[in-house]
Amino acid sequence: MTTPADDRSLRREMAAAYRSGWHFIDLVSAIPRRGDSLRVTLFGEPVLVVREEDEDVRAYRCLRRPRGAPQMVRCCIRYDMIFVNLDRRDHELVGPQPHTATPRSA
């Protein structure tokens, strides 16, 4: 096992290793009403968890780019706990796959 030469390399490698998993944020009871929000920092990135008007809980990555809209982050609730996943590979939308096979006639 090799050790990174400096602290910056270690932080970058640790963030890459842990960023791809699901991480506990808080209990759902922390944002009980519509419009309530919770701001946390996860691996140095600010994440905003909001209870929307339709009662769904969603998470957004707060970007500091000019004119940048917040990016959605995968968010799920299990056993009244909020989990988020910051891995950007998971956010690629997969469209419907075209069917090339024709049905067999009987």
Side-chain angles (χ1 to χ4, degrees), residues 27-37 50-52 55 57 82:
L27 298 175
V28 176
S29 60
I31 47 175
R33 294 179 302 279
R34 287 185 259 172
D36 288 349
S37 64
V50 180
R51 184 175 292 272
E52 300 282 344
E55 295 289 332
V57 175
I82 303 169

Side-chain angles (χ1 to χ4, degrees), residues 23-28 30-31 33 35-42 46-52 56-62 73-77 81-84:
H23 303 284
F24 171 74
I25 297 297
D26 207 338
L27 298 175
V28 176
I31 47 175
R33 294 179 302 279
D36 288 349
S37 64
L38 177 68
R39 186 167 186 246
V40 296
T41 302
L42 191 61
V47 175
L48 184 67
V49 182
V50 180
R51 184 175 292 272
E52 300 282 344
D56 282 343
V57 175
R58 294 191 178 93
Y60 300 93
R61 176 182 283 123
C62 301
V73 174
R74 287 186 70 189
C75 178
C76 74
I77 298 173
M81 295 183 288
I82 303 169
F83 293 91
V84 297

Side-chain angles (χ1 to χ4, degrees), residues 52-103:
E52 300 282 344
E53 293 298 321
D54 57 358
E55 295 289 332
D56 282 343
V57 175
R58 294 191 178 93
Y60 300 93
R61 176 182 283 123
C62 301
L63 301 176
R64 295 182 185 177
R65 291 186 265 171
R67 298 183 305 256
Q71 278 184 339
M72 287 207 58
V73 174
R74 287 186 70 189
C75 178
C76 74
I77 298 173
R78 295 289 183 259
Y79 306 106
D80 290 332
M81 295 183 288
I82 303 169
F83 293 91
V84 297
N85 189 334
L86 295 179
D87 192 5
R88 294 176 191 208
R89 294 174 294 177
D90 290 342
H91 302 296
E92 296 174 5
L93 297 177
V94 178
Q97 301 297 323
H99 296 283
T100 56
T102 58

